[in-house]
Amino acid sequence: MRVVVTGARGFVGRALIRQLESAGGHEIRPVDSELDLRDEAAVRRLLEDARPDVVIHLGGVSGPMVAADDPVRVTAVNAVGTITVLDAAAALDRPPLVIVASSIAAVEQALTGPRTVYAATKRFVEDAAGAFRARGVRVIAARLGSVYGPGRSTDHVVDRLARSILRDGEAVYDPEVLEPLVHVDDVARLILGLVTAAARQRLSETYTFVQALVPHEEIARTVAAALGKTVMTRHTLGTRLRWTEPLDSRALLRDTGMAFAVPLSEGLARTASSVTA
């Protein structure tokens, strides 16, 4: 199977490339920052040359903490970049399956109204996917939760708590906040599972990738235990979102015939152990 992966050197992209290589039987075309997703001609050339069976579009600004002071860039890369990829796919004689990375931020916007430009772009990505389905392109939106694991370069609560515990012996968190966690290896495995399942059955338009809603207090305890530390805790007021039914991942597990493979305690411990102060 010919597979184009954008954002291939990103956190999820690296894990996905490992999964594709391990599975075997795939001709992989990984691209990252060398491709300007806003460049319509360049994206079209890529897809015309690769003639992919599947495009997995992970490229973009990866979270609300990235380029928060540059909303024009966030919109251009996430919204325009996704349209460019979808339009290039639609222009092929045989449009590929396209899996686009969305985010639970899209749910956040639906429940509370937009809090960030990033959230607005992810809602847009899901709406745009629907417009291209009407043009005959098979598009699946992969609504990713709070992706954690060793090797993440952008800010995440697990890494942040681990650094604070190592540096200060203190864990600072809001005990009322729930984190919709999913390990990066599970994200990669389940995306590949969707690719496999799409060859044999009709799939849903959107899938949610969240293993569990985990209290920050539980994350702090698990991280401290993994680091062998007894810590002081200090409570603060965080952003309390009302996560509800849209974070249900049962359809993803049903349609792929898979399960989350990384136990939360193990994933949190491995991630904490990879962090340095």
Side-chain angles (χ1 to χ4, degrees):
M1 185 178 295
R2 295 185 299 276
V3 184
V4 168
V5 181
T6 70
R9 292 196 295 274
F11 183 44
V12 175
R14 296 193 305 272
L16 179 61
I17 295 298
R18 290 194 297 270
Q19 287 289 335
L20 287 165
E21 291 174 342
S22 177
H26 300 295
E27 182 181 323
I28 310 165
R29 178 74 75 90
V31 295
D32 202 275
S33 56
E34 69 275 11
L35 175 69
D36 185 346
L37 293 170
R38 300 163 297 179
D39 186 333
E40 184 177 353
V43 173
R44 285 208 175 200
R45 283 194 301 271
L46 169 68
L47 296 196
E48 287 169 357
D49 179 60
R51 294 287 164 178
D53 301 296
V54 181
V55 175
I56 303 174
H57 177 45
L58 304 175
V61 175
S62 61
M65 76 295 293
V66 181
D69 60 346
D70 193 351
V72 173
R73 177 189 167 206
V74 174
T75 302
V77 174
N78 284 3
V80 177
T82 299
I83 288 288
T84 303
V85 170
L86 290 171
D87 193 50
L92 296 176
D93 294 337
R94 190 171 67 86
L97 167 69
V98 183
I99 298 177
V100 297
S102 182
S103 167
I104 55 168
V107 180
E108 170 190 334
Q109 180 176 350
L111 292 174
T112 66
R115 293 173 179 267
T116 64
V117 170
Y118 172 81
T121 65
K122 290 304 181 179
R123 181 70 259 172
F124 175 84
V125 162
E126 294 193 10
D127 291 342
F132 280 89
R133 289 186 198 106
R135 291 176 54 182
V137 183
R138 292 179 302 157
V139 188
I140 296 172
R143 189 179 279 167
L144 306 185
S146 181
V147 184
Y148 77 102
R152 176 165 174 150
S153 60
T154 54
D155 185 54
H156 192 274
V157 61
V158 177
D159 304 71
R160 190 164 61 247
L161 281 168
R163 282 193 298 271
S164 176
I165 290 168
L166 287 169
R167 184 181 61 243
D168 306 320
E170 181 181 57
V172 182
Y173 58 87
D174 183 337
E176 300 298 321
V177 171
L178 302 176
E179 194 73 18
L181 290 177
V182 61
H183 194 278
V184 65
D185 290 343
D186 275 330
V187 171
R189 288 178 55 258
L190 288 161
I191 288 176
L192 185 54
L194 286 176
V195 171
T196 302
R200 64 176 185 263
Q201 68 193 74
R202 184 178 180 85
L203 297 179
S204 298
E205 297 177 351
T206 303
Y207 289 97
T208 297
F209 290 63
V210 173
Q211 182 174 11
L213 286 166
V214 185
H216 280 200
E217 184 172 19
E218 180 180 338
I219 296 172
R221 284 201 310 269
T222 305
V223 167
L227 296 174
K229 301 289 187 179
T230 301
V231 299
M232 298 291 292
T233 61
R234 178 160 57 89
H235 293 170
T236 186
L237 183 64
T239 302
R240 300 177 178 185
L241 298 174
R242 184 172 55 87
W243 299 116
T244 56
E245 185 65 18
L247 298 191
D248 186 348
S249 295
R250 284 176 294 182
L252 173 67
L253 304 183
R254 178 196 67 220
D255 289 353
T256 59
M258 300 170 75
F260 291 108
V262 181
L264 280 167
S265 57
E266 177 185 320
L268 289 171
R270 289 201 333 242
T271 303
S273 298
S274 72
V275 173
T276 57

